[in-house]
Amino acid sequence: MKLKALNMTDQKAQFLLEGVSISYANSLRRYFINETPIMAIEDVEIADNSSILYDESVALRLGLLVLETDRKSYNLPSACKCQGKGCAQCQAILTLKAKGPKTVYAGDMKSKDPKIKPVHPKTPIVKLLEGQKLEVTCTAVLGVGSTHAKWSPGHAYYNHPATVTVDTKKVDTKKIAEAAGDNVMEAKGDTFTVLHVDQFISVITALGAQEKGTPVVDQERFVFTIEPWGQLSSYEMVQSAIDAFNHDLDQFAEALE
Ligand SMILES: [Zn+2]
């Protein structure tokens, strides 16, 4: 297996994977979105709610908030010493107390653990009119996307790179390489290997050029793109997915013995 990092920032990771089967690439993709633990609100205790939203709607909105996740300090409830009963190692408590008139935002929540807080404090929860109140206590726990989408840490997908030969009579290759930017992985004369073939063709068409023959899609290579929602950085999302994959493979090997 060969791996090459293409673009790595906290918000987005892109890497090229070679020498694996399509089923392996797909397993990886599923681990990124479904088996990477993150924090989300699971239980909501409502002490007061005179807002326009039903208790269930308030709880749903709270459950979908994006919470910063501290992977090192928390266990999955199922793997915790408390056996899922709930303790400081597997639960984080957030409270919210608001009185109208005002718009209640995620940033109005108070967290007992400063590391577990909403990533987007301007996410609106409900609008309170004069005299309306909202008072809730929320319990956030680690979970995985295969249980509920609120525990899915982001978007993960792959595509195959393609090789395009360009008719360079009208436009020179330097101009094409400049205009296509990061999309170009390799360039040899009038032949370009690109990450996204559609984007590349729009660029050369805009320059007045066109491709020679049909682009050749390379089914053996995978360009992965990982875009976290914000609970984890893209690096943490990749690392957690690989850890989960290894853990499951170990368990599989143990079960076979
Ligand atoms: Zn616990």
Side-chain angles (χ1 to χ4, degrees), residues 197-215:
V197 68
D198 295 345
Q199 272 176 31
F200 183 73
I201 288 175
S202 329
V203 167
I204 59 168
T205 311
L207 290 172
Q210 58 184 32
E211 67 267 31
K212 264 200 269 179
T214 319

Side-chain angles (χ1 to χ4, degrees), residues 3 28 36 39 46 83 94 128 133 135 194 208 213 236 247 252-253:
L3 187 70
L28 262 186
T36 304
M39 274 285 184
I46 299 185
Q83 292 175 328
L94 295 103
L128 298 178
K133 280 190 224 161
E135 193 180 338
V194 297
E236 288 172 321
H247 175 259
F252 182 70

